[in-house]
Coordinates of all heavy atoms in Angstrom, one line a residue:
N108 N -194.2 -94.6 7.2 CA -195.5 -94.7 7.9 C -195.1 -94.7 9.4 O -195.8 -95.5 10.2 CB -196.3 -95.9 7.5 CG -197.8 -95.7 8.0 OD1 -198.3 -94.6 8.2 ND2 -198.4 -96.9 8.3
L109 N -194.2 -93.9 9.8 CA -193.8 -93.8 11.2 C -193.5 -92.4 11.5 O -193.1 -91.6 10.7 CB -192.5 -94.6 11.5 CG -192.6 -96.1 11.5 CD1 -191.2 -96.8 11.3 CD2 -193.3 -96.7 12.7
Q110 N -193.7 -92.0 12.8 CA -193.4 -90.6 13.3 C -191.9 -90.4 13.2 O -191.1 -91.3 13.5 CB -193.9 -90.4 14.7 CG -193.7 -89.0 15.2 CD -194.3 -88.8 16.6 OE1 -195.1 -89.6 17.1 NE2 -194.0 -87.7 17.1
C111 N -191.5 -89.2 12.7 CA -190.1 -88.9 12.5 C -189.8 -87.6 13.2 O -190.5 -86.6 13.0 CB -189.8 -88.9 11.0 SG -188.0 -88.4 10.7
S112 N -188.7 -87.6 14.0 CA -188.1 -86.3 14.6 C -186.8 -86.1 13.9 O -186.0 -87.0 13.8 CB -188.0 -86.5 16.1 OG -189.3 -86.7 16.7
L113 N -186.5 -84.8 13.7 CA -185.3 -84.4 13.1 C -184.6 -83.3 13.8 O -185.3 -82.3 14.3 CB -185.5 -84.1 11.6 CG -184.3 -83.6 10.8 CD1 -184.5 -84.0 9.3 CD2 -184.2 -82.0 10.8
T114 N -183.3 -83.3 14.0 CA -182.6 -82.2 14.6 C -181.2 -82.2 14.0 O -180.8 -83.1 13.2 CB -182.6 -82.2 16.1 OG1 -182.1 -80.9 16.6 CG2 -181.7 -83.3 16.6
N115 N -180.4 -81.2 14.4 CA -179.0 -81.2 13.8 C -178.2 -82.2 14.5 O -178.5 -82.7 15.6 CB -178.4 -79.8 13.8 CG -177.9 -79.4 15.2 OD1 -177.2 -80.1 15.9 ND2 -178.2 -78.1 15.6
D116 N -177.1 -82.6 13.9 CA -176.3 -83.7 14.4 C -175.7 -83.5 15.8 O -175.6 -84.4 16.6 CB -175.2 -84.1 13.3 CG -174.6 -82.9 12.7 OD1 -174.9 -81.7 13.1 OD2 -173.8 -83.1 11.7
A117 N -175.3 -82.3 16.1 CA -174.7 -82.0 17.4 C -175.8 -82.1 18.5 O -175.5 -82.6 19.6 CB -174.0 -80.7 17.4
N118 N -176.9 -81.6 18.2 CA -178.0 -81.7 19.2 C -178.4 -83.2 19.4 O -178.7 -83.6 20.5 CB -179.3 -81.0 18.7 CG -179.2 -79.5 19.0 OD1 -178.4 -79.0 19.8 ND2 -180.0 -78.7 18.3
A119 N -178.4 -84.0 18.3 CA -178.6 -85.4 18.5 C -177.6 -86.1 19.4 O -177.9 -86.9 20.2 CB -178.6 -86.1 17.1
A120 N -176.3 -85.6 19.2 CA -175.3 -86.2 20.1 C -175.5 -85.9 21.6 O -175.3 -86.7 22.4 CB -173.9 -85.6 19.7
A121 N -176.0 -84.7 21.9 CA -176.3 -84.3 23.2 C -177.5 -85.2 23.8 O -177.4 -85.6 25.0 CB -176.7 -82.8 23.3
V122 N -178.5 -85.4 23.0 CA -179.6 -86.2 23.5 C -179.1 -87.7 23.6 O -179.5 -88.4 24.6 CB -180.8 -86.2 22.4 CG1 -181.8 -87.1 22.9 CG2 -181.3 -84.8 22.3
G123 N -178.2 -88.1 22.8 CA -177.6 -89.5 22.9 C -176.8 -89.6 24.2 O -176.9 -90.6 24.9
E124 N -176.0 -88.6 24.5 CA -175.3 -88.7 25.8 C -176.2 -88.7 27.0 O -175.9 -89.3 28.0 CB -174.3 -87.4 25.9 CG -173.2 -87.4 25.0 CD -172.1 -88.5 25.2 OE1 -172.2 -89.2 26.3 OE2 -171.2 -88.7 24.4
M125 N -177.3 -87.9 26.9 CA -178.2 -87.9 28.0 C -179.0 -89.2 28.2 O -179.3 -89.7 29.3 CB -179.2 -86.8 27.8 CG -180.2 -86.5 28.9 SD -180.9 -84.8 28.8 CE -181.5 -84.8 27.1
M126 N -179.2 -89.9 27.1 CA -180.0 -91.1 27.1 C -179.1 -92.3 27.3 O -179.5 -93.2 28.1 CB -180.7 -91.3 25.7 CG -181.6 -92.5 25.6 SD -183.2 -92.3 26.4 CE -183.8 -94.0 26.4
Y127 N -178.0 -92.4 26.7 CA -177.2 -93.6 26.7 C -175.7 -93.4 27.3 O -175.1 -94.4 27.5 CB -177.0 -94.2 25.3 CG -178.3 -94.3 24.5 CD1 -178.5 -93.7 23.3 CD2 -179.2 -95.2 25.0 CE1 -179.6 -93.9 22.6 CE2 -180.4 -95.5 24.2 CZ -180.6 -94.8 23.1 OH -181.7 -95.0 22.3
G128 N -175.3 -92.2 27.4 CA -173.8 -92.0 27.6 C -173.4 -91.3 28.9 O -174.1 -91.5 30.0
A129 N -172.4 -90.4 28.9 CA -171.8 -89.9 30.0 C -172.7 -88.9 30.8 O -172.4 -88.6 31.9 CB -170.5 -89.2 29.6
A130 N -173.8 -88.4 30.1 CA -174.7 -87.4 30.8 C -175.9 -88.0 31.4 O -176.8 -87.3 31.8 CB -175.1 -86.4 29.7
R131 N -175.9 -89.4 31.6 CA -177.1 -90.0 32.2 C -177.3 -89.4 33.6 O -176.3 -89.4 34.4 CB -176.9 -91.5 32.3 CG -177.1 -92.2 31.0 CD -177.1 -93.7 31.2 NE -175.9 -94.2 31.8 CZ -174.8 -94.6 31.1 NH1 -174.8 -94.5 29.8 NH2 -173.8 -95.0 31.8
G132 N -178.5 -88.9 33.9 CA -178.7 -88.4 35.3 C -178.4 -86.9 35.4 O -178.7 -86.2 36.4
M133 N -177.7 -86.3 34.4 CA -177.4 -84.9 34.4 C -178.5 -84.0 33.8 O -179.2 -84.4 32.9 CB -176.1 -84.6 33.6 CG -174.9 -85.1 34.2 SD -173.4 -84.6 33.3 CE -172.1 -85.6 33.9
R134 N -178.7 -82.8 34.4 CA -179.7 -81.9 33.9 C -179.1 -80.7 33.2 O -179.8 -79.9 32.6 CB -180.7 -81.5 35.0 CG -181.5 -82.7 35.6 CD -182.4 -82.3 36.7 NE -183.3 -81.2 36.3 CZ -184.5 -81.4 35.6 NH1 -184.8 -82.6 35.2 NH2 -185.2 -80.4 35.3
D135 N -177.8 -80.5 33.5 CA -177.1 -79.2 32.9 C -175.8 -79.7 32.4 O -174.9 -79.9 33.2 CB -177.1 -78.2 33.9 CG -178.4 -77.6 34.4 OD1 -178.9 -76.7 33.8 OD2 -178.9 -78.2 35.4
F136 N -175.6 -79.7 31.1 CA -174.3 -80.1 30.5 C -174.3 -79.5 29.1 O -175.3 -79.2 28.5 CB -174.1 -81.6 30.5 CG -175.1 -82.3 29.7 CD1 -174.8 -82.7 28.4 CD2 -176.3 -82.8 30.2 CE1 -175.6 -83.4 27.6 CE2 -177.2 -83.5 29.4 CZ -176.8 -83.8 28.1
I137 N -173.1 -79.6 28.5 CA -172.8 -79.2 27.1 C -172.0 -80.3 26.5 O -171.0 -80.7 27.1 CB -172.1 -77.8 27.1 CG1 -172.9 -76.7 27.7 CG2 -171.7 -77.4 25.6 CD1 -172.0 -75.3 27.8
V138 N -172.4 -80.7 25.3 CA -171.6 -81.6 24.5 C -171.0 -80.8 23.4 O -171.6 -80.0 22.7 CB -172.5 -82.7 23.9 CG1 -171.7 -83.5 22.8 CG2 -173.1 -83.6 24.9
I139 N -169.7 -81.0 23.3 CA -168.9 -80.3 22.2 C -168.3 -81.4 21.3 O -167.6 -82.3 21.8 CB -167.7 -79.5 22.7 CG1 -168.2 -78.4 23.8 CG2 -166.9 -78.8 21.6 CD1 -168.9 -77.3 23.2
T140 N -168.7 -81.4 20.0 CA -168.2 -82.4 19.1 C -167.0 -81.8 18.3 O -167.2 -80.7 17.7 CB -169.3 -82.9 18.1 OG1 -169.7 -81.8 17.4 CG2 -170.5 -83.5 18.9
L141 N -165.9 -82.5 18.4 CA -164.6 -82.0 17.7 C -164.2 -82.9 16.6 O -163.6 -83.9 16.9 CB -163.6 -81.8 18.8 CG -163.8 -80.9 20.0 CD1 -162.9 -81.1 21.1 CD2 -163.8 -79.4 19.5
G142 N -164.7 -82.6 15.4 CA -164.3 -83.4 14.3 C -163.9 -82.5 13.2 O -163.1 -81.6 13.4
T143 N -164.4 -82.8 12.0 CA -164.1 -81.9 10.8 C -164.5 -80.4 11.2 O -163.8 -79.5 10.8 CB -164.8 -82.3 9.5 OG1 -164.5 -83.7 9.3 CG2 -164.4 -81.5 8.3
G144 N -165.6 -80.3 11.9 CA -166.0 -79.0 12.4 C -166.2 -79.1 13.9 O -165.7 -80.0 14.5
V145 N -166.8 -78.1 14.5 CA -167.0 -78.0 15.9 C -168.6 -77.8 16.1 O -169.1 -76.8 15.7 CB -166.3 -76.9 16.6 CG1 -166.7 -76.8 18.1 CG2 -164.8 -77.1 16.5
G146 N -169.2 -78.8 16.7 CA -170.6 -78.8 16.9 C -170.9 -78.7 18.4 O -170.0 -79.0 19.2
S147 N -172.1 -78.4 18.8 CA -172.4 -78.4 20.2 C -173.9 -78.6 20.4 O -174.7 -78.3 19.6 CB -172.0 -77.0 20.8 OG -172.7 -76.0 20.2
G148 N -174.2 -79.1 21.6 CA -175.6 -79.3 22.1 C -175.6 -78.8 23.5 O -174.8 -79.3 24.4
I149 N -176.5 -77.9 23.9 CA -176.6 -77.4 25.2 C -177.9 -77.9 26.0 O -179.0 -77.7 25.4 CB -176.6 -75.8 25.2 CG1 -175.5 -75.3 24.4 CG2 -176.6 -75.2 26.6 CD1 -175.6 -73.8 24.1
V150 N -177.7 -78.5 27.1 CA -178.8 -79.0 27.9 C -178.9 -78.2 29.2 O -177.9 -78.1 29.9 CB -178.7 -80.5 28.2 CG1 -179.8 -80.9 29.1 CG2 -178.8 -81.3 26.9
S151 N -180.0 -77.6 29.5 CA -180.2 -76.8 30.7 C -181.5 -77.2 31.3 O -182.5 -77.3 30.7 CB -180.3 -75.3 30.3 OG -180.4 -74.5 31.5
N152 N -181.5 -77.5 32.6 CA -182.6 -77.9 33.4 C -183.2 -79.2 32.7 O -184.5 -79.3 32.7 CB -183.6 -76.8 33.5 CG -184.6 -77.1 34.7 OD1 -184.2 -77.8 35.7 ND2 -185.8 -76.5 34.5
G153 N -182.4 -80.0 32.2 CA -183.0 -81.3 31.6 C -183.5 -81.1 30.2 O -184.0 -82.0 29.6
Q154 N -183.5 -79.9 29.6 CA -184.0 -79.7 28.3 C -182.9 -79.2 27.3 O -182.1 -78.3 27.7 CB -185.1 -78.6 28.4 CG -186.3 -79.0 29.2 CD -187.1 -80.1 28.6 OE1 -187.4 -80.1 27.4 NE2 -187.5 -81.1 29.4
L155 N -183.0 -79.8 26.1 CA -182.1 -79.3 25.1 C -182.5 -77.9 24.6 O -183.7 -77.7 24.4 CB -182.1 -80.3 23.9 CG -181.0 -80.1 22.9 CD1 -179.6 -80.4 23.4 CD2 -181.2 -81.2 21.7
I156 N -181.5 -77.0 24.5 CA -181.8 -75.6 24.2 C -181.9 -75.6 22.6 O -180.9 -75.8 21.9 CB -180.8 -74.7 24.7 CG1 -180.7 -74.8 26.2 CG2 -181.1 -73.2 24.3 CD1 -181.9 -74.5 27.0
Y157 N -183.0 -75.3 22.1 CA -183.2 -75.2 20.6 C -183.3 -73.7 20.2 O -183.1 -73.4 19.0 CB -184.5 -75.9 20.2 CG -184.4 -77.4 20.3 CD1 -185.1 -78.1 21.2 CD2 -183.6 -78.1 19.4 CE1 -185.0 -79.5 21.3 CE2 -183.4 -79.5 19.5 CZ -184.2 -80.2 20.4 OH -184.1 -81.6 20.5
G158 N -183.7 -72.8 21.1 CA -183.9 -71.4 20.7 C -185.2 -71.2 20.0 O -186.0 -72.2 19.8
H159 N -185.5 -70.0 19.7 CA -186.9 -69.7 19.2 C -187.0 -70.2 17.8 O -188.1 -70.4 17.3 CB -187.1 -68.2 19.1 CG -186.5 -67.4 18.0 ND1 -185.2 -67.1 17.9 CD2 -187.1 -66.9 16.8 CE1 -184.9 -66.5 16.8 NE2 -186.1 -66.4 16.1
D160 N -185.9 -70.5 17.0 CA -186.0 -70.9 15.6 C -185.5 -72.3 15.4 O -185.5 -72.8 14.3 CB -185.3 -69.9 14.7 CG -183.8 -69.8 15.1 OD1 -183.4 -70.4 16.0 OD2 -183.1 -69.0 14.3
G161 N -185.0 -73.0 16.4 CA -184.5 -74.3 16.3 C -183.0 -74.4 16.0 O -182.4 -75.6 15.9
F162 N -182.3 -73.3 16.0 CA -180.9 -73.4 15.6 C -179.9 -73.0 16.7 O -178.8 -72.7 16.5 CB -180.6 -72.5 14.4 CG -181.2 -73.0 13.1 CD1 -182.3 -72.3 12.5 CD2 -180.8 -74.2 12.6 CE1 -182.9 -72.8 11.3 CE2 -181.4 -74.7 11.4 CZ -182.4 -74.0 10.8
A163 N -180.4 -72.9 18.0 CA -179.5 -72.6 19.1 C -178.4 -73.6 19.2 O -178.5 -74.7 18.9 CB -180.3 -72.5 20.4
G164 N -177.3 -73.1 19.8 CA -176.2 -74.0 20.1 C -175.1 -74.1 19.1 O -174.3 -75.0 19.0
E165 N -174.9 -73.0 18.3 CA -173.8 -73.0 17.3 C -172.6 -72.4 18.0 O -172.0 -71.4 17.5 CB -174.2 -72.2 16.1 CG -175.3 -72.9 15.2 CD -174.7 -74.1 14.5 OE1 -173.5 -74.4 14.5 OE2 -175.5 -74.8 13.8
L166 N -172.1 -73.1 19.0 CA -170.9 -72.6 19.8 C -169.7 -72.6 18.9 O -168.7 -71.8 19.2 CB -170.8 -73.4 21.0 CG -171.9 -73.3 22.0 CD1 -171.7 -74.1 23.3 CD2 -172.3 -71.8 22.4
G167 N -169.6 -73.5 17.9 CA -168.4 -73.6 17.1 C -168.2 -72.4 16.3 O -167.1 -72.1 15.8
H168 N -169.3 -71.5 16.1 CA -169.2 -70.4 15.3 C -169.1 -69.1 16.1 O -169.2 -68.0 15.5 CB -170.3 -70.3 14.2 CG -170.2 -71.4 13.2 ND1 -169.2 -71.6 12.3 CD2 -171.0 -72.6 13.1 CE1 -169.5 -72.7 11.6 NE2 -170.5 -73.3 12.0
T169 N -169.0 -69.3 17.4 CA -168.7 -68.1 18.2 C -167.3 -67.6 17.9 O -166.4 -68.3 17.6 CB -168.9 -68.3 19.7 OG1 -168.0 -69.4 20.1 CG2 -170.3 -68.7 20.0
I170 N -167.2 -66.2 18.0 CA -165.8 -65.6 17.7 C -165.0 -65.6 19.0 O -165.3 -65.0 19.9 CB -166.0 -64.2 17.2 CG1 -167.0 -64.2 15.9 CG2 -164.7 -63.6 16.8 CD1 -166.5 -65.1 14.8
I171 N -163.9 -66.4 18.9 CA -162.9 -66.5 20.0 C -161.6 -65.7 19.8 O -161.0 -65.4 20.7 CB -162.7 -68.0 20.4 CG1 -161.9 -68.1 21.7 CG2 -161.9 -68.6 19.2 CD1 -162.6 -67.6 22.9

Side-chain angles (χ1 to χ4, degrees):
N108 197 28
L109 289 164
Q110 185 175 349
C111 178
S112 298
L113 176 146
T114 191
N115 79 46
D116 36 9
N118 280 343
V122 178
E124 290 291 349
M125 188 161 48
M126 182 77 191
Y127 308 121
R131 287 189 301 271
M133 292 186 190
R134 294 180 58 78
D135 297 271
F136 65 94
I137 299 173
V138 171
I139 304 289
T140 61
L141 299 165
T143 305
V145 175
S147 59
I149 305 167
V150 173
S151 183
N152 198 29
Q154 297 292 316
L155 192 61
I156 303 300
Y157 290 110
H159 83 281
D160 58 358
F162 291 115
E165 288 290 355
L166 299 180
H168 295 292
T169 56
I170 304 303
I171 189 63

